[in-house]
Amino acid sequence: MSNDTLTVEIWRGREEGEFQTFQVPRMASQTVLDIVTYVQRNLDPGLSYRFACRVGVCGSCAMTVNGKPRWTCRTHVDKVAGDGTLRIQPLKNLPVIRDLAVDMTEFFQKWTRAQAHFVPTATRGDDFAQVSPDDPRRKEASAGIECINCGVCYSACDTVAWLGDYLGPAALNRAWTLVNDERDGGQAARLKAIAGAGGCQSCHSHQSCFELCPKHLNPTAAIAGLKRATVKAALKGEI
Amino acid sequence: MKTHRNHANYWAFVLHRVSGLALLLFLPAHFYVLALAVEEAATLDMFLSWTEAPVVKLLETGLVILLAAHMTGGLRILAIEFLAWRDWQKSVVAITGGLSLAAGLIFLLNAG
Ligand code: HEM
Ligand code: SF4
Ligand code: SF4
Ligand code: FES
């Protein structure tokens, strides 16, 4: 390691605040979350941030790192601190609680608004549904199902920033997996919820969500599917 | 500072908005000039001789490129929305850019 310390600027405060600079020792395979944890354990115990699994499963550690939203536990410092500095901020498009922790309430309320939950049709008396892995709808659903609710896409989406009402890439991506779930019984209500104001038609296909999703999901393609599905349903008079 | 906006598809969006707004300003002026042909032939002739100036030709080339960029970019967006997803989106952006510049070049070659 040529440089043994790294200059790290970390956001302190709420919407109003300032950057505080720390010197953090470099280590091999160090992640951005390692850096934040080092600061909190050794330099300033008052630093607020969030994490749980440390292995890219829980979706709680996302922050803005050198201008881009990232899952910090799986983001290596080597990859993002090319010029030798690291600037860490809370996620954009969500209210800051303190330092690096944001309030995710609105993000999850939008999942509820998008009817992004499974509506069962079978009873416990019924046999398991058989859905072939080759079924085209099953493939669409499978492509989007691995979302960890990290909020990276939501934070990268300018339409969310411009149109506070917009449901955003994560909720719409989840809705698309359900639109393709043949066992689901909530289709008309869901399509109605996502066809209205702030719904899928507001998306401008920027693809920032697709560009940055750490799970390499493609909300832009999912939303394009929803645009077609809602238009089709409206033409048929179903919604 | 790097931001979440720095990728080909976002720049294509910016170009689409700028060219769309430019079209919005240009079209009324364009129709006004066309209307002159009916009403005031002399004014039209004066305007047309103005458009012979090289610097105006250059500006017109810019306009042609913006028009072509909006049309090809618009077709690109419609393809995302109505056709199956393709993984080579960045190439599509490059193709629309190339076609727009080609349109400008053809205009410039014919303008001389
Ligand atoms: C040549 C055929 C055209 C096509 C294929 C086309 C296509 C499109 C599409 C698909 C959009 C939506 C972009 C988005 O979702 O972000 C759009 C936006 C727009 N168009 Fe066009 N358009 C055309 C001609 C025009 C003309 C003639 C005008 C001027 C009157 C115009 C002005 C605009 C404006 C102002 C926007 C809004 C840009 C934005 O939201 O960022 N377009 N166009
Ligand atoms: S493609 Fe749609 S959802 Fe994704 S960042 Fe752009 S506007 Fe947001
Ligand atoms: S779609 Fe990707 S970026 Fe968005 S919340 Fe899910 S995992 Fe995170
Ligand atoms: S800490 Fe769980 S995804 Fe990063």
Side-chain angles (χ1 to χ4, degrees):
Chain A
M1 203 74 36
S2 55
N3 284 346
D4 26 282
T5 68
L6 185 74
T7 304
V8 185
E9 296 176 315
I10 297 182
W11 182 256
R12 304 306 301 270
R14 301 179 57 128
E15 306 298 334
E16 300 281 307
E18 58 185 7
F19 286 100
Q20 191 178 351
T21 306
F22 299 95
Q23 299 295 327
V24 179
R26 284 291 273 120
M27 276 177 271
S29 306
Q30 201 169 19
T31 65
V32 175
L33 185 65
D34 291 335
I35 297 270
V36 175
T37 300
Y38 181 90
V39 171
Q40 201 257 358
R41 302 242 165 114
N42 299 285
L43 304 176
D44 187 344
L47 179 66
S48 297
Y49 68 110
R50 221 187 259 125
F51 76 97
C53 72
R54 297 177 292 117
V55 289
V57 174
C58 71
S60 64
C61 67
M63 301 167 199
T64 306
V65 182
N66 282 1
K68 294 184 187 181
R70 305 260 185 206
W71 55 352
T72 56
C73 70
R74 294 286 300 273
T75 301
H76 282 255
V77 175
D78 288 336
K79 188 182 152 199
V80 287
D83 59 356
T85 58
L86 205 55
R87 175 176 267 214
I88 309 173
Q89 290 162 268
L91 282 182
K92 294 186 186 119
N93 294 342
L94 289 162
V96 182
I97 297 173
R98 202 170 96 136
D99 302 341
L100 302 172
V102 292
D103 184 351
M104 305 283 287
T105 308
E106 191 182 301
F107 177 75
F108 288 112
Q109 273 171 352
K110 286 180 175 177
W111 287 58
T112 311
R113 234 181 76 205
Q115 309 275 319
H117 60 271
F118 179 60
V119 180
T121 46
T123 66
R124 68 180 62 202
D126 293 313
D127 207 350
F128 288 118
Q130 308 251 345
V131 186
S132 161
D134 298 325
D135 183 87
R137 287 177 73 205
R138 166 67 186 265
K139 284 184 179 166
E140 288 284 351
S142 297
I145 207 69
E146 295 290 342
C147 173
I148 58 171
N149 313 355
C150 65
V152 162
C153 56
Y154 189 84
S155 174
C157 176
D158 275 353
T159 304
V160 171
W162 297 332
L163 200 73
D165 204 23
Y166 179 47
L167 292 168
L172 290 170
N173 176 70
R174 175 68 182 131
W176 176 240
T177 65
L178 291 159
V179 166
N180 285 291
D181 191 331
E182 63 181 62
R183 305 161 305 162
D184 182 277
Q187 299 297 353
R190 184 173 305 111
L191 287 178
K192 207 171 186 158
I194 56 191
C200 60
Q201 304 295 344
S202 301
C203 166
H204 286 283
S205 302
H206 303 140
Q207 301 173 42
S208 302
C209 49
F210 176 39
E211 191 78 20
L212 286 158
C213 171
K215 299 289 291 181
H216 304 295
L217 305 188
N218 187 349
T220 312
I223 295 167
L226 290 176
K227 286 175 179 172
R228 294 191 290 270
T230 48
V231 168
K232 211 183 273 175
L235 289 177
K236 285 193 192 157
E238 291 168 0
I239 54 171
Chain B
M1 190 57 143
K2 291 173 266 180
T3 79
H4 62 276
R5 301 193 180 98
N6 196 8
H7 57 94
N9 281 287
Y10 194 89
W11 287 112
F13 159 78
V14 172
L15 184 64
H16 199 79
R17 178 154 291 185
V18 169
S19 59
L21 293 173
L23 277 176
L24 214 58
L25 293 176
F26 164 73
L27 281 182
H30 186 60
F31 290 134
Y32 170 73
V33 169
L34 288 183
L36 289 179
V38 185
E39 308 271 320
E40 300 166 53
T43 323
L44 179 67
D45 284 341
M46 248 168 65
F47 179 81
L48 287 180
S49 62
W50 175 70
T51 61
E52 292 303 317
V55 61
V56 180
K57 284 279 178 244
L58 221 57
L59 287 175
E60 280 178 340
T61 308
L63 207 54
V64 168
I65 293 174
L66 279 181
L67 277 163
H70 194 82
M71 194 181 78
T72 53
L75 294 174
R76 178 186 68 85
I77 296 165
L78 293 172
I80 291 175
E81 290 176 348
F82 290 101
L83 305 178
W85 180 263
R86 279 156 181 80
D87 276 329
W88 32 283
Q89 289 299 326
K90 282 178 189 166
S91 312
V92 182
V93 172
I95 292 166
T96 59
L99 287 176
S100 309
L101 291 178
L105 192 65
I106 291 168
F107 174 82
L108 201 59
L109 289 175
N110 287 325

